[in-house]
Amino acid sequence: MVVSETASQALQTPLYRLIVAQQAKMTQFAGWVMPIQFSGLKQEHEAVRTSVGMFDISHMGKFILTGKDLVPALQSLVPSNLERLQFGQAQYTVLLNADGGIIDDVIFYYQATGTGILIVNAATTEKDKAWLLPHLEKYSVTLEDVSQEKVLIALQGIHAQRILQSLVSDDLSPLKLFEHLETTIFDQPAFIARTGYTGEDGFEIMLSADAGQKLWNSLLQAGVTPCGLGARDTLRLEAALALYGQDIDDLTSPLEAGLGWLVHLKEKGEFVGRLVLENQKTNGLPRRLVGLQMEGRHIARHDYPVWSNGQVVGKVTSGTLSPTLGKAIALAYVPSELATIGQTLEVEIRGKTYPATVVKKPFYKVSRPI
């Protein structure tokens, strides 16, 4: 097990001992000790793309929200129209600051009148809670933080439904993407959502520590490949899914980040950051997040400069050698006039520049319906 010196003081998920027993390589991430890989990044990545893999994502922030005015309370904090959600549906969206910057990207699961679950990033859990609480109190909405006590497992890949169905009495087949249900696993309450961060079909399951440990072991016995943060990062990048703190942050608007599909200006009234987004819609964006494909196997990494005509015009936010495509891919912010598909640019890598081309996102998309 490889852990940084400060990791011994970090938080451990309820699955920590099971994962260490599997001799996973560990690292510190967002204040938690987490597995970076088990059998190897490429093997884990391929398992999700061709079969099924599972991730311990219990480090994610988990808020249970309760109050009759729950939806109105959240409506003014996000650019998405939550009023169109039916019970059992979910919305990926972003919390915005007054400048239209992204405080965090989150998923809101609408369970019933006045009840919902908000899943947030591990690194921003405390920041998000501090932002939400004063606002929710105005609407008499309570927030219960169950981040450290609940297990959250992501089961991802083409065989995810078949594997999970054997452990659940409720029929999972009617669940569409971003739908969820409450059921039982090992006679204990469990929350199952058809969501994920890999670009593949799959589920995210939240349950108690005891039931979560039993589920992890059962999935192992069923032949599911355990996966770490390394494969999670390459999978999400192939699917061009943003990583908070790299591809999006407090200084990035959802329109700049290519998340315009979750901005519902015509359907909504006032919300934090609306004026900025309206201005960007009217006057255009100074920059955009684009997909880059490198020539050859030169890998563009986070913060590498992007060049055009002898000048630095932007920077890479995420980059890797795609295990699925066998090509070096990256996300980068560049001026809007250079964001056209087919635009040629250069990325500086260790003092030298290498050709890159703006390509359509996502880099990888499943050919079968989810």
Side-chain angles (χ1 to χ4, degrees):
M1 180 176 70
V2 179
V3 185
S4 65
E5 292 181 5
T6 56
S8 60
Q9 302 174 353
L11 296 169
Q12 300 174 0
T13 78
L15 302 180
Y16 173 79
R17 294 190 181 280
L18 298 180
I19 288 171
V20 169
Q22 294 174 253
Q23 298 184 324
K25 292 183 179 179
M26 309 295 285
T27 189
Q28 186 177 13
F29 178 78
W32 296 77
V33 183
M34 299 295 295
I36 193 165
Q37 68 178 44
F38 291 80
S39 55
L41 188 152
K42 288 185 178 180
Q43 296 95 314
E44 294 164 26
H45 183 106
E46 184 178 357
V48 174
R49 287 282 181 253
T50 62
S51 181
V52 62
M54 62 180 178
F55 304 79
D56 177 14
I57 55 170
S58 305
H59 62 309
M60 301 289 286
K62 314 168 198 72
F63 302 152
I64 297 175
L65 306 178
T66 309
K68 64 182 181 65
D69 292 324
L70 172 57
V71 171
L74 293 177
Q75 276 284 80
S76 62
L77 298 179
V78 301
S80 308
N81 183 16
L82 302 181
E83 290 182 346
R84 63 184 186 180
L85 289 178
Q86 302 296 314
F87 301 150
Q89 294 181 335
Q91 173 71 53
Y92 171 73
T93 188
V94 289
L95 297 173
L96 295 180
N97 59 32
D99 296 322
I102 300 173
I103 294 173
D104 196 13
D105 61 329
V106 305
I107 299 182
F108 172 62
Y109 298 91
Y110 193 26
Q111 295 176 287
T113 301
T115 305
I117 294 173
L118 195 68
I119 301 296
V120 307
N121 282 294
T124 55
T125 299
E126 293 305 316
K127 180 180 76 167
D128 292 353
K129 186 159 60 171
W131 176 260
L132 286 164
L133 280 174
H135 183 81
L136 296 178
E137 287 173 357
K138 298 176 185 177
Y139 289 82
S140 298
V141 172
T142 60
L143 183 155
E144 182 185 0
D145 185 354
V146 296
S147 302
Q148 296 187 33
E149 61 193 76
K150 293 288 187 180
V151 164
L152 193 58
I153 295 174
L155 184 66
Q156 302 282 294
I158 57 176
H159 298 315
Q161 180 177 315
R162 175 178 60 80
I163 295 292
L164 186 57
Q165 188 64 79
S166 65
L167 301 169
V168 180
S169 58
D170 291 87
D171 185 6
L172 298 176
S173 59
L175 276 187
K176 298 178 182 178
L177 191 62
F178 276 81
E179 291 187 344
H180 52 91
L181 58 80
E182 293 177 86
T183 183
T184 58
I185 297 179
F186 308 121
D187 295 321
Q188 294 195 46
F191 172 84
I192 298 177
R194 200 158 205 153
T195 49
Y197 192 50
T198 64
E200 293 290 338
D201 186 19
F203 302 86
E204 293 177 316
I205 309 112
M206 186 168 72
L207 61 183
S208 70
D210 177 59
Q213 291 163 359
K214 291 180 181 177
L215 176 60
W216 184 267
N217 283 329
S218 294
L219 294 174
L220 276 178
Q221 292 170 9
V224 177
T225 300
C227 305
L229 294 179
R232 187 167 165 83
D233 192 52
T234 54
L235 289 160
R236 70 90 190 168
L237 184 50
E238 286 184 346
L241 299 173
L243 174 61
Y244 191 83
Q246 285 192 193
D247 309 305
I248 53 177
D249 57 29
D250 300 77
L251 301 177
T252 306
S253 86
L255 298 179
E256 292 174 319
L259 299 174
W261 56 274
L262 56 78
V263 177
H264 307 151
L265 292 175
K266 293 182 180 180
E267 299 179 31
K268 294 197 61 173
E270 292 300 316
F271 61 85
V272 176
R274 181 184 177 104
L275 290 178
V276 175
L277 299 190
E278 286 179 335
N279 181 62
Q280 290 182 344
K281 279 274 192 179
T282 301
N283 300 318
L285 300 169
R287 62 174 186 162
R288 293 179 184 272
L289 185 66
V290 300
L292 295 179
Q293 183 174 303
M294 302 296 297
E295 253 186 47
R297 296 169 72 86
H298 303 290
I299 303 175
R301 300 293 189 187
H302 176 64
D303 270 348
Y304 283 11
V306 178
W307 290 71
S308 178
N309 294 323
Q311 293 185 328
V312 174
V313 294
K315 69 175 182 177
V316 172
T317 56
S318 292
T320 192
L321 180 63
S322 164
T324 303
L325 306 175
K327 300 174 181 177
I329 58 174
L331 296 175
Y333 280 101
V334 300
S336 291
E337 62 269 22
L338 298 177
T340 307
I341 303 299
Q343 173 72 47
T344 56
L345 299 166
E346 294 178 306
V347 176
E348 181 181 336
I349 303 174
R350 292 183 292 277
K352 295 183 179 180
T353 57
Y354 298 91
T357 303
V358 176
V359 296
K360 187 177 180 180
K361 298 179 295 182
F363 304 99
Y364 165 88
K365 189 174 184 180
V366 292
S367 58
R368 57 193 176 277
I370 294 179

